Amino acid sequence: NCYEKVLKIKPEHALAHYGIGVILKKKANYKEAIKKFKQAITFDPNSADSYYYLSNVQMEEGQLEAAIENCKIALELRPDWAELINLFGTIQLRQGSLDAALATFEQAISIKPNFDIALNNGGIVQTKKGDLQAALESHKQAIKANPKSSKNHYNAGAVFRHIGDLESAIESYGEAIKIDPKYYEAHWNQ
């Protein structure tokens, strides 16, 4: 590809390493993607994007401590990047730090109020904490922000099921299926 051609000419080209890392991440080749993002950082230590993607891939690989550390570096470089803050919260959630994760998702939402992914993630945390009314409100806000997200509808359905509103749960799962007919969890729960 073009990035590899660039690296043959200029092996220290950070953006080329980053670009290859993104391609490898999309192919779920996480181990190689980690190497490329680390090389990109070596040649451009101020690339918040490289730290972001490195953290994301490390999270997928279960390297949560490393992911947190690299996320913190990225946040020093770009403290108001809502997607990065959401990633930080997602890692905290995977670590089981529910209160910290919820506060982090709320921070992302304060920067980007209609950020449906952070709203949805906040709802997931609220569900885990047993605050089902707050969770339902978060999922409704996520749906309002992005009605075309099957995950938003699915997670609202899960909360409706938890509170015993089976009719609304079935309706929410149905909406998720309309958006993504292959969403097997929604089929299973409907």
Side-chain angles (χ1 to χ4, degrees), residues 116 120 142-143 146-154 175-176 179:
D116 73 298
N120 188 49
I143 291 167
N146 183 1
K148 295 183 188 253
S149 169
S150 59
K151 288 181 181 182
N152 294 344
H153 290 282
Y154 175 82
E175 286 299 314
I179 295 163

Side-chain angles (χ1 to χ4, degrees), residues 112-131:
K112 191 174 176 180
N114 289 319
F115 188 11
D116 73 298
I117 298 169
L119 288 162
N120 188 49
N121 286 340
I124 290 168
V125 173
Q126 291 159 332
T127 300
K128 288 181 179 287
K129 291 180 65 150
D131 190 352

Side-chain angles (χ1 to χ4, degrees), residues 4-22:
E4 289 168 350
K5 289 177 184 175
V6 169
L7 290 177
K8 285 181 183 177
I9 298 165
K10 190 174 180 185
E12 70 280 1
H13 197 283
L15 189 55
H17 287 288
Y18 167 82
I20 293 170
V22 171

Side-chain angles (χ1 to χ4, degrees), residues 5 13 19-20 24-25 38 47 60 64 88 92 114 123 127 134 140-142 152 156 176 179 183 188:
K5 289 177 184 175
H13 197 283
I20 293 170
L24 291 167
K25 178 192 179 298
K38 285 182 176 181
S47 172
E60 294 301 329
L64 300 181
F88 191 68
Q92 292 171 316
N114 289 319
T127 300
K140 286 180 178 180
Q141 289 176 7
N152 294 344
I179 295 163
Y183 201 156
W188 179 260

Side-chain angles (χ1 to χ4, degrees), residues 81-137:
W81 185 7
E83 288 77 7
L84 173 61
I85 295 166
N86 180 71
L87 174 61
F88 191 68
T90 303
I91 298 166
Q92 292 171 316
L93 175 58
R94 289 202 182 175
Q95 289 180 317
S97 302
L98 299 182
D99 292 333
L102 184 58
T104 303
F105 293 134
E106 289 170 351
Q107 181 185 359
I109 295 162
S110 73
I111 293 167
K112 191 174 176 180
N114 289 319
F115 188 11
D116 73 298
I117 298 169
L119 288 162
N120 188 49
N121 286 340
I124 290 168
V125 173
Q126 291 159 332
T127 300
K128 288 181 179 287
K129 291 180 65 150
D131 190 352
L132 299 180
Q133 285 309 121
L136 188 56
E137 184 57 34

